[in-house]
Amino acid sequence: MSTGGNDAAQRTNFLAVEDLSVTYRTGSGDVPAVRGVDLAVAPGTKLGVAGESGCGKSTIALALLRLLPSTARMSGRILLDGEDVLTMKWGRLRAVRWAGASIVFQGAMHSLNAVRRIGDQIAEPILLHEQRTPAEVRTRVSALLEQVGLPQQRAAAYPHELSGGQRQRVMIAMALACNPRLIIADEPTTALDVMIQAQILRLISGLVSDHGISMLMISHDLSVLADTCDRLAVMYAGRVVEEGAAHEVFSTPRHPYSEALSAAFPRIGDPASRRRPRGLPGDPPDPAALPAGCSFRPRCPAAQDRCAETDPALWRAGAERRAACVHVLSDEQAVELGVPPAPAAPSAAPPDRPANGADPAQPEEIR
């Protein structure tokens, strides 16, 4: 999934994030929120980004369209259709927002203007980016509302007159207003109940498929991403720790953190997983004081002494799979990469010989 600077890959991926790092300047020093992340989204495909709060997911979403505050310092490259967002002039960047790529924020009530009718808010990006008459804009707004399952009459409503699910549909309509080629969905269903969440996810997936749009969806819910996306990247402490086909990462994770996220969801028809839910003790590390070696080591049930000495990269972990964990390496690969070898398994103790000198491994009749 990583482009690795390959020109051919850049041409086939509408979005290519290369070695992206984001650091926030604070009164107590610099805080690294994203550390050397590579991501790619091909046209018409859906990439999910999962992880706990504070792992850097939303920072990446905002960085893609340069929406971060002035205290953020970014390095690396963010290529949208071959153009680097980080070096765009403001005029070009304004043209790319909404028309090239748009974003659906979590919490629609905080993103919509409470004193403007929703029809006017959907119309605003169309008026800014396209040359259309007022009548054409009204027709386009009506069509967008119908696309997301809302009656045309709701164009005259204010945000507070809509339910949570309806407001989220309005945000999706706004994201589609200028026919973008990429939609960034940042926790689009967090505040919704289970039934409405399922409806919104079906709606987003259907619209993406019907229009051939690329999508980057961010969520802490691994099961939602596994059902919605083609590929999945799991983040921890500002880095991607596993990536691969979404259903494979969810069902057969190769990194202990991905395994913990997957195990947090009870399996339907499995009473044992319901009676003994598995959690992950502890909290993510402070970005300003990361532990030595593997950042997941303090919480990892499979941690070894060598994990404190090795800062793992994304290593091959199967067909089109990568994981940042020493456990995916064979002994030969570890030697080649300069990683300390795995500790030797303890040898089984030989059985005690009885006092009469008989060998307990021999049958009684042979003794």
Side-chain angles (χ1 to χ4, degrees), residues 188-202:
T189 60
T190 297
L192 306 178
D193 62 66
V194 175
M195 295 298 291
I196 299 300
Q197 181 185 77
Q199 293 177 17
I200 295 297
L201 290 174
R202 283 198 299 269

Side-chain angles (χ1 to χ4, degrees), residues 304 306 326-327 329 331 334 339-345:
Q304 300 171 346
R306 61 176 178 162
V326 295
H327 294 291
L329 298 177
D331 291 340
V339 175

Side-chain angles (χ1 to χ4, degrees), residues 24-337:
Y24 291 105
R25 295 187 297 273
T26 70
S28 56
D30 290 350
V31 177
V34 175
R35 303 181 294 138
V37 166
D38 292 345
L39 297 171
V41 186
T45 64
K46 295 165 282 188
L47 170 68
V49 179
E52 293 171 286
S53 296
C55 70
K57 308 185 305 295
S58 293
T59 292
I60 287 178
L62 297 174
L64 294 181
L65 292 175
R66 272 171 55 188
L67 296 172
L68 290 170
S70 58
T71 55
R73 185 171 64 250
M74 294 182 285
S75 63
R77 295 206 300 173
I78 300 173
L79 302 177
L80 279 177
D81 203 17
E83 291 187 81
D84 191 351
V85 172
L86 300 186
T87 60
M88 284 181 183
K89 295 184 178 180
W90 278 109
R92 178 57 183 157
L93 182 61
R94 285 171 60 88
V96 166
R97 292 173 178 172
W98 293 108
S102 60
I103 187 166
V104 179
F105 295 102
Q106 66 181 67
M109 193 62 187
H110 303 296
S111 303
L112 294 171
N113 190 327
V115 297
R116 294 188 64 198
R117 301 180 190 274
I118 64 166
D120 295 334
Q121 296 188 58
I122 297 172
E124 184 175 4
I126 303 174
L127 292 169
L128 288 172
H129 289 273
E130 300 179 15
Q131 299 295 324
R132 297 202 184 199
T133 65
E136 290 173 334
V137 172
R138 286 193 298 271
T139 301
R140 174 67 175 153
V141 169
S142 297
L144 287 166
L145 288 173
E146 185 177 349
Q147 258 187 323
V148 298
L150 289 175
Q152 300 175 13
Q153 296 83 354
R154 302 307 275 170
Y158 290 95
H160 71 273
E161 297 176 307
L162 304 178
S163 68
Q166 290 175 327
R167 287 194 292 267
Q168 203 64 44
R169 290 169 187 264
V170 171
M171 289 294 298
I172 296 169
M174 292 176 66
L176 293 169
C178 297
N179 297 308
R181 294 181 58 191
L182 172 70
I183 290 180
I184 305 159
D186 184 10
E187 303 268 13
T189 60
T190 297
L192 306 178
D193 62 66
V194 175
M195 295 298 291
I196 299 300
Q197 181 185 77
Q199 293 177 17
I200 295 297
L201 290 174
R202 283 198 299 269
L203 171 65
I204 293 175
S205 296
L207 291 171
V208 167
S209 299
D210 293 345
H211 294 268
I213 301 171
S214 303
M215 182 175 74
L216 187 143
M217 177 178 280
I218 293 170
S219 178
H220 62 276
D221 192 330
L222 208 63
S223 63
V224 163
L225 297 177
D227 287 340
T228 308
C229 299
D230 304 305
R231 294 186 64 79
L232 181 58
V234 179
M235 289 192 65
Y236 186 80
R239 283 184 175 174
V240 174
V241 295
E242 184 169 356
E243 61 180 20
H247 65 92
E248 291 180 359
V249 174
F250 182 66
S251 59
T252 57
R254 299 301 309 277
H255 193 282
Y257 180 61
S258 306
E259 184 177 2
L261 291 180
S262 177
F265 300 93
R267 300 297 195 264
I268 296 175
D270 181 8
S273 70
R274 188 172 64 251
R275 297 192 191 101
R276 294 188 299 275
R278 294 169 58 187
L280 182 62
D283 298 307
D286 181 352
L290 294 172
C294 176
S295 56
F296 185 60
R297 175 178 53 84
R299 305 173 71 189
C300 182
Q304 300 171 346
D305 290 342
R306 61 176 178 162
C307 297
E309 307 171 30
T310 305
D311 189 5
L314 277 171
W315 292 310
R316 184 178 176 85
E320 298 187 15
R321 298 279 300 275
R322 297 196 301 165
C325 180
V326 295
H327 294 291
V328 303
L329 298 177
S330 66
D331 291 340
E332 293 78 9
Q333 289 172 316
V335 170
E336 183 179 345
L337 294 167

